[in-house]
Amino acid sequence: KGKGSLLALTNSIISSAIAARKAGQLVVDDSWIQEIWDWADEFELTEKQIPRNKEDLIKLESLDIEMCCFKDLESLLEERTEAEESWRVANERIQSARERGLFIGGIPPEFIKVHDLNDKVRHLERLLSTTNKMNSIPIELSYLKNLITIVLWGVESSNFLKNAQLFSNLKTFVAINCNVNNLFDEICQLKQLTDIIIRGSEIINIPQSISQLSNLTKLSVSTWESLTIHEDICKLTKLTELNITNCNLLEIPEAIFQLKNLTELSINSCKSLEIHKDICKLIKLTELNITNCNLLEIPEAIFQLKNLNRLNIAGNDISTLPKNISKLKDLTSLNISNNYITTLPTSMCLLESLISLHIDVGILKDLPKHRYNQALEGFDIKVNAINNLPLSLKLIEEHYFHGKEDLPF
């Protein structure tokens, strides 16, 4: 036991000495800055990404690194081939017209598209030959104390954020089209993170280690994979915003209902979603978005969310809007577009705080004829069967109708 304690103390002293030496090095020389510049030059990072001026580099707040996905390049090459064919046909038409003495001025849009696609192809090919060879970011970047955001595009390497714990000031991490499953161990070492945004990435699991991010306030995940969420997500006591998109969830995990400080919950494009009654436990929720999830009805538990002021249930299979919608006294925005609702309850008129109403449905036949809130700033209605419009809605200056020209006003 004594030897173990002595060894731990020795390691602590060594670690402190290394930290002190590094701190001293930062004061006496700029070798670490040169290391960053050499790395940036090697992978042809732009001046905007990594300033080659010391003063601007030290002020750097955000690092954006883009890599090329082979699938993206292949898709772009196919698009360019199609555009070149369109340009060939258009050019032949122009030449034929000129031969007949017709004047055609201006730059054809087909040519502009080919030109733009050529630029994009060159950009991705450059990334393949330069940035794509990068396996990790240098540890010297952790000396940039103003660096609070890292944005990664198309990163596949599992060691890309090695020594991530040294980036102690990092607040926001964004991954787009990355293999995030390989990165999560590193991400969860960034203890000061407040925001994680993951888009179009190969992520199938939000692991237990997510609970280490005690300062996290926003978590946004979009993936085409079936996502599992570890129950320890409930330990993120500071989380206020949770967004889950295209994750094939069949139900909202119960652990999410334990996030007592959650104010915004968005679940989008998750097939056949079911919502448990425990959603009413999210008492601080002010915004709820459940869209394109094949939802058949609005659970009664939602009407117990007394602080809710924004509700978006667009793009579902809902046929009835319950009269208990009037219990949401603080509701300021309601979107029920693209459902199968044919009538609205008269209790809608009791939503005295409502200022934004979206009823973008083609089969709505009637609107309650009671007086609507005159604070309503505007409404958006797509109609083909509506029979009458209440006078109180006619008096609202800003309204948007689509699909029927003979509305009664």
Side-chain angles (χ1 to χ4, degrees):
K1 182 177 179 180
K3 291 182 179 179
S5 299
L6 181 59
L7 180 60
L9 179 60
T10 302
N11 288 336
S12 176
I13 293 172
I14 292 173
S15 298
S16 298
I18 292 173
R21 181 175 59 82
K22 288 181 178 179
Q25 183 185 25
L26 295 184
V27 174
V28 299
D29 66 63
D30 292 338
S31 61
W32 62 279
I33 292 179
Q34 189 60 51
E35 290 286 344
I36 293 175
W37 287 339
D38 290 345
W39 166 76
D41 291 341
E42 178 183 357
F43 298 106
E44 298 185 17
L45 300 184
T46 66
E47 177 74 18
K48 183 178 179 180
Q49 290 172 291
I50 297 293
R52 300 318 196 264
N53 172 278
K54 177 182 176 181
E55 183 177 350
D56 291 337
L57 178 64
I58 290 175
K59 293 179 180 178
L60 189 68
E61 295 183 358
S62 179
L63 175 63
D64 193 323
I65 295 179
E66 180 184 6
M67 293 189 176
C68 173
C69 175
F70 284 100
K71 292 188 295 184
D72 292 341
L73 180 57
E74 290 175 355
S75 177
L76 199 60
L77 289 171
E78 290 178 4
E79 186 179 355
R80 186 179 67 173
T81 300
E82 294 175 1
E84 287 173 340
E85 176 61 19
S86 296
W87 162 235
R88 185 189 65 78
V89 173
N91 191 45
E92 289 180 354
R93 188 170 61 249
I94 293 171
Q95 294 300 325
S96 176
R98 288 174 176 169
E99 289 173 1
R100 298 195 305 271
L102 298 175
F103 174 75
I104 299 178
I107 301 175
E110 294 86 355
F111 174 79
I112 295 174
K113 184 173 183 179
V114 170
H115 181 271
D116 290 343
L117 287 172
N118 279 332
D119 284 345
K120 292 179 180 178
V121 167
R122 283 193 292 269
H123 173 64
L124 292 188
E125 288 176 340
R126 186 186 68 79
L127 292 179
L128 276 175
S129 63
T130 56
T131 316
N132 267 49
K133 296 179 180 180
M134 188 189 304
N135 293 318
S136 63
I137 58 177
I139 190 175
E140 285 79 9
L141 286 171
S142 66
Y143 300 156
L144 299 175
K145 299 307 178 184
N146 291 306
L147 185 63
I148 58 174
T149 299
I150 287 182
V151 181
L152 304 180
W153 301 69
V155 170
E156 297 289 334
S157 172
S158 59
N159 293 317
F160 199 81
L161 291 175
K162 65 179 181 180
N163 298 310
Q165 72 277 8
L166 297 177
F167 291 80
S168 57
N169 295 316
L170 210 61
K171 302 292 184 183
T172 300
F173 177 82
V174 181
I176 301 174
N177 297 331
C178 297
N179 189 342
V180 181
N181 279 320
N182 285 345
L183 288 174
F184 240 117
D185 287 341
E186 284 75 28
I187 295 173
C188 291
Q189 295 181 48
L190 302 170
K191 306 296 185 181
Q192 300 304 315
L193 275 185
T194 60
D195 294 55
I196 294 179
I197 301 171
I198 298 171
R199 292 280 180 271
S201 300
E202 296 180 8
I203 173 174
I204 58 175
N205 179 39
I206 297 180
Q208 182 179 10
S209 54
I210 193 76
S211 63
Q212 300 175 30
L213 303 178
S214 58
N215 292 299
L216 200 64
T217 61
K218 176 179 179 178
L219 175 60
S220 182
V221 177
S222 174
T223 176
W224 294 105
E225 305 291 338
S226 295
L227 182 70
T228 58
I229 303 175
H230 195 276
E231 61 183 10
D232 277 4
I233 193 174
C234 67
K235 296 180 180 179
L236 300 178
T237 57
K238 293 184 180 180
L239 195 68
T240 60
E241 182 179 344
L242 177 61
N243 186 319
I244 300 173
T245 301
N246 296 325
C247 297
N248 294 327
L249 284 182
L250 297 178
E251 61 180 5
I252 302 176
E254 291 188 18
I256 290 177
F257 302 137
Q258 300 177 45
L259 296 169
K260 301 302 183 182
N261 288 310
L262 203 65
T263 60
E264 180 179 335
L265 174 62
S266 298
I267 301 180
N268 308 300
S269 301
C270 295
K271 298 178 181 178
S272 304
L273 182 71
E274 293 186 7
I275 302 176
H276 195 271
K277 63 181 181 180
D278 283 351
I279 194 172
C280 66
K281 294 180 179 179
L282 300 175
I283 57 175
K284 292 187 178 181
L285 209 63
T286 61
E287 180 171 344
L288 177 61
N289 302 291
I290 302 178
T291 61
N292 301 308
C293 291
N294 300 117
L295 201 63
L296 296 175
E297 61 181 6
I298 306 175
E300 284 292 320
I302 288 179
F303 303 128
Q304 298 179 43
L305 299 171
K306 303 301 183 182
N307 290 309
L308 202 65
N309 55 50
R310 299 180 64 86
L311 176 61
N312 183 357
I313 51 172
N316 286 291
D317 298 327
I318 298 168
S319 58
T320 303
L321 186 64
K323 63 181 181 180
N324 283 342
I325 187 73
S326 61
K327 290 185 177 180
L328 301 177
K329 300 294 185 182
D330 292 333
L331 202 65
T332 60
S333 176
L334 175 63
N335 188 341
I336 57 173
S337 61
N338 295 314
N339 280 284
Y340 296 97
I341 299 171
T342 58
T343 60
L344 300 179
T346 56
S347 59
M348 277 277 297
C349 303
L350 301 176
L351 297 174
E352 297 181 354
S353 299
L354 195 67
I355 59 174
S356 178
L357 175 61
H358 297 263
I359 317 174
D360 189 24
V361 288
I363 59 174
L364 186 67
K365 295 180 178 179
D366 219 340
L367 288 174
K369 296 179 177 59
H370 294 265
R371 186 173 182 83
Y372 284 81
N373 175 26
Q374 289 303 292
L376 196 65
E377 295 177 350
F379 55 93
D380 190 341
I381 304 180
K382 178 181 178 182
V383 291
N384 60 26
I386 196 166
N387 295 320
N388 199 3
L389 187 72
L391 177 62
S392 55
L393 285 183
K394 295 180 190 179
L395 297 176
I396 296 173
E397 293 184 1
E398 294 186 19
H399 49 259
Y400 306 90
F401 287 90
H402 315 278
K404 188 172 182 179
E405 298 177 355
D406 56 344
L407 287 168
F409 63 97

